[in-house]
Each structure stands twice: as C-alpha cells, then as structure tokens.
Amino acid sequence: MARYIVGITGASGSIYGVRLMEELLKRNHEIHLVLTNNGEKVLSYELRKDLKSIIEELKIFNEKLLIHDINNLFAPIASGSFKVDGMVIIPCSMSTLAEVSSGASKNLLGRAADVCIKEKRNLILVPRETPLSPIHLRNMLYLSEIGVKILPAMPGFYHHPESIDDIVNSIVGRVLEGLGIENTLYSKWCGGNFND
Ligand SMILES: Cc1cc2nc3c(=O)[nH]c(=O)nc-3n(C[C@H](O)[C@H](O)[C@H](O)COP(=O)(O)O)c2cc1C
C-alpha cells in the first residue's frame, strides 16, 4: 500500500482525475485529495454530478480516500515530515501550474506540490489548455527542468480508441506508469505495420 496526493483543479478533464483515483483505490492505495474551488465546480459541471456523489462512488473501491480543504494549511500533506509516495495534479490548470512554478504555495494544493519539490518526491502535472501561451510553455519548461514530470492530457490515437473511456485510460495509464505502477490501461507500442 502506498500513499498519494491527488489534486484536481479547474482545468477541463476532471474525468482523468476521477479515473486515476479509481485505479489507485482499486489497488488499495491511500489518497489525499485536494480540489481547488474551481476544480470542484468544473468537476460537477463536466461529470454532471456533485462532489459528494462522486466521492461516495469512489469509496466503493476502498475507504482510504481522504479529502482536504484547499484552505487548510494545517493538513498533514502541508508538511514534508508526512511521507507520501507521489503526487499528481490532474487535470492541472495553467493557473495552478504558474503557482507551482513560482513556489507561491498560496493554498494547500500549491503547498503540497512545493513540499514534493523540496523533498525531491515524484510530482506529476497533467496540464490541459490549448493553445499554449509563452507563459504556459515557460512554466512547463522550468518545472520539467527541476524534475517535475509534465504529462499533458494529449491522448494518442494510434491504439485506435473506441470510446471516451479508452482515451481517458490512455492518459491515466501513463500517469500510473509515471508513479511506477504497472498497468494495462493503455496499449504499449510494440511496433506496427503501416498497412495494418
Ligand atoms: C468549464 C471550464 C473549463 C476550463 N478549462 C480550463 C482548461 O482546460 N485549462 C485551464 O488552464 N483553465 C481552464 N479553465 C479556467 C480555470 O478554471 C481558471 O483559470 C481557474 O482560475 C483555475 O484555478 P485553479 O487552478 O485554482 O482551479 C476552465 C474554466 C471553466 C469554467
């Protein structure tokens, strides 16, 4: 059993975050979830459900899902002495990306990411925006240079997805891989024939 922090922000693609949590809970891992204010609103809007029912559905897989208030800087994940095995912000807005790259730590999500960076722990950001401005690109480059994994929600189509679930899984599978968790959510490329 490992312990992960999952952050959900107000970028489009909350479905990726929910899918990731399902996979982590199925594997009996502990999750510390932090949603930004707009993260909660976009999640309810895109999934057409309120946070409470999403949490109830997730808890069917495993009860080890702890939700923290974004403003509670007294939460355990605000401290480096509280050990975690990794953190993923999925989806990650350009606003939160900028906050993490500046080290401003204005709320619990920014602080938890800052802790991961200072403690040299695995931090994965799944940004979603298009087009990307020079500010966004510069922030991503900087974070990548200091060891943060930038794993954009940019699904590939060479595995011939047949549903939204296939597309979502292709990104979530990569995130799990980034956390060192073996999975079969996405098809690994073993070479292909141009005529296939
Ligand atoms: C429906 C909706 C979709 C959005 N999609 C994105 C997006 O894909 N990427 C992004 O950076 N911001 C997006 N935004 C804007 C962010 O929610 C906004 O910048 C917010 O301040 C982000 O704050 P947060 O990082 O604290 O959640 C979206 C907003 C709404 C209402």
Side-chain angles (χ1 to χ4, degrees):
M1 194 277 284
R3 177 187 282 157
Y4 299 104
I5 301 170
V6 174
I8 293 188
T9 73
S12 183
S14 343
I15 193 169
Y16 292 115
V18 173
R19 198 73 259 286
L20 175 66
M21 288 194 284
E22 279 173 19
E23 290 302 317
L24 292 175
L25 292 171
K26 269 187 208 166
R27 290 167 172 79
N28 209 29
H29 296 309
E30 180 179 303
I31 298 178
H32 290 255
L33 170 64
V34 190
L35 293 109
T36 62
N37 294 328
N38 228 36
E40 186 172 338
K41 286 183 194 159
V42 174
L43 174 107
S44 297
Y45 180 77
E46 290 192 338
L47 302 183
R48 296 195 173 104
K49 279 180 201 167
D50 61 8
L51 177 63
K52 198 166 165 272
S53 32
I54 293 167
I55 298 298
E56 274 164 18
E57 285 170 21
L58 284 168
K59 285 197 167 177
I60 292 168
F61 296 105
N62 148 13
E63 287 282 325
K64 290 183 217 153
L65 173 60
L66 296 103
I67 300 114
H68 297 285
D69 182 332
I70 186 77
N71 296 312
N72 181 16
L73 284 151
F74 283 72
I77 57 171
S79 169
S81 61
F82 186 75
K83 299 279 190 296
V84 297
D85 297 284
M87 171 170 178
V88 186
I89 306 184
I90 174 171
C92 183
S93 71
M94 294 305 113
S95 165
T96 292
L97 187 101
E99 186 183 335
V100 175
S101 83
S102 74
S105 314
K106 289 238 171 73
N107 59 36
L108 182 60
L109 187 60
R111 170 64 187 167
D114 201 47
V115 167
C116 281
I117 294 171
K118 83 181 173 76
E119 301 292 341
K120 311 224 177 298
R121 294 180 184 147
N122 198 357
L123 173 61
I124 302 175
L125 304 188
V126 182
R128 218 282 343 165
E129 186 51 281
T130 195
L132 293 163
S133 76
I135 301 173
H136 305 150
L137 292 165
R138 206 175 296 126
N139 286 338
M140 283 187 224
L141 175 62
Y142 176 65
L143 286 167
S144 173
E145 283 171 348
I146 62 166
V148 175
K149 198 167 284 169
I150 305 293
L151 202 154
M154 283 183 191
F157 290 87
Y158 53 83
H159 61 295
H160 306 126
E162 287 173 3
S163 63
I164 292 180
D165 231 32
D166 287 349
I167 295 170
V168 170
N169 283 346
S170 72
I171 296 297
V172 172
R174 295 290 184 124
V175 172
L176 290 170
E177 186 110 333
L179 292 173
I181 301 173
E182 277 298 317
N183 71 93
T184 53
L185 257 66
Y186 73 103
S187 14
K188 279 134 198 154
W189 182 251
C190 302
N193 186 331
F194 182 68
N195 297 316
D196 281 353

